[in-house]
Amino acid sequence: MTNEELMAEAKKAREHAYAPYSHFQVGAALLTKSGKLYHGCNIENAAYSPSNCAERTAFFKAVYDGEREFERIAIAGGPAGKEAEEPCAPCGVCRQVMMEFCDPDDFQIILADGKGGCLQRSLRELLPLGFGPKNLA
Ligand code: THU
């Protein structure tokens, strides 16, 4: 699956967003090493802090299913009513969740580049000196 195809899946996932407070809708498409695809959307809450990002929704669905090896995630986010063409970088909490399950030099994060294409960064690039399971081994 190309990055562009994965981004198209993230855009589909974005249609499921529940974001009545921020009106910022995000979708994510997470590809496992075995080739399975998990979609996620942001799910907000009237108490605000229980809100969940699209990336974590996708990861938690996959982890529940027993998946432990991940290849790539595409993220599409932006204000409701607009196409998600600008980069929507994962928040720090989501980067930390990725760090739990992914090799930071291997796992790739795909974002819109603002020009109709995609940009790609490793988790290491987005979370330098990250703390993960290997630090506790
Ligand atoms: N959000 C995500 O779901 N993923 C991101 O990468 C950035 C932010 C959500 C959280 C909240 O529901 C809304 O976008 C505004 O921050």
Side-chain angles (χ1 to χ4, degrees), residues 6 8 15 24 35 50 54 69 72 76 86 101 108 121 124 127:
L6 196 60
E15 292 170 17
F24 191 90
E69 294 192 8
R72 260 181 299 159
E86 295 302 316
F101 295 104
Q108 301 295 318
R121 296 287 182 276
R124 177 81 72 198
L127 191 62

Side-chain angles (χ1 to χ4, degrees), residues 3-80:
N3 285 348
E4 287 71 22
E5 286 167 340
L6 196 60
M7 181 58 74
E9 294 294 330
K11 286 181 181 174
K12 275 193 226 165
R14 182 173 176 248
E15 292 170 17
H16 296 247
Y18 176 76
Y21 306 107
S22 72
H23 305 289
F24 191 90
Q25 298 178 321
V26 188
L30 174 64
L31 188 62
T32 70
K33 291 223 173 183
S34 61
K36 279 182 77 179
L37 194 57
Y38 285 89
H39 297 88
C41 64
N42 56 335
I43 303 170
E44 297 186 345
N45 189 280
Y48 293 1
S49 65
S51 299
N52 206 53
C53 291
E55 299 89 320
R56 275 177 287 147
T57 302
F59 264 93
F60 295 158
K61 284 170 66 183
V63 171
Y64 175 85
D65 275 356
E67 296 293 336
R68 295 291 186 273
E69 294 192 8
F70 301 99
E71 183 185 296
R72 260 181 299 159
I73 191 169
I75 305 161

Side-chain angles (χ1 to χ4, degrees), residues 76-99:
K82 281 193 175 173
E83 295 293 312
E85 300 301 350
E86 295 302 316
C88 174
C91 79
V93 173
C94 288
R95 295 178 201 205
Q96 187 63 35
V97 168
M98 294 173 196
M99 190 71 194

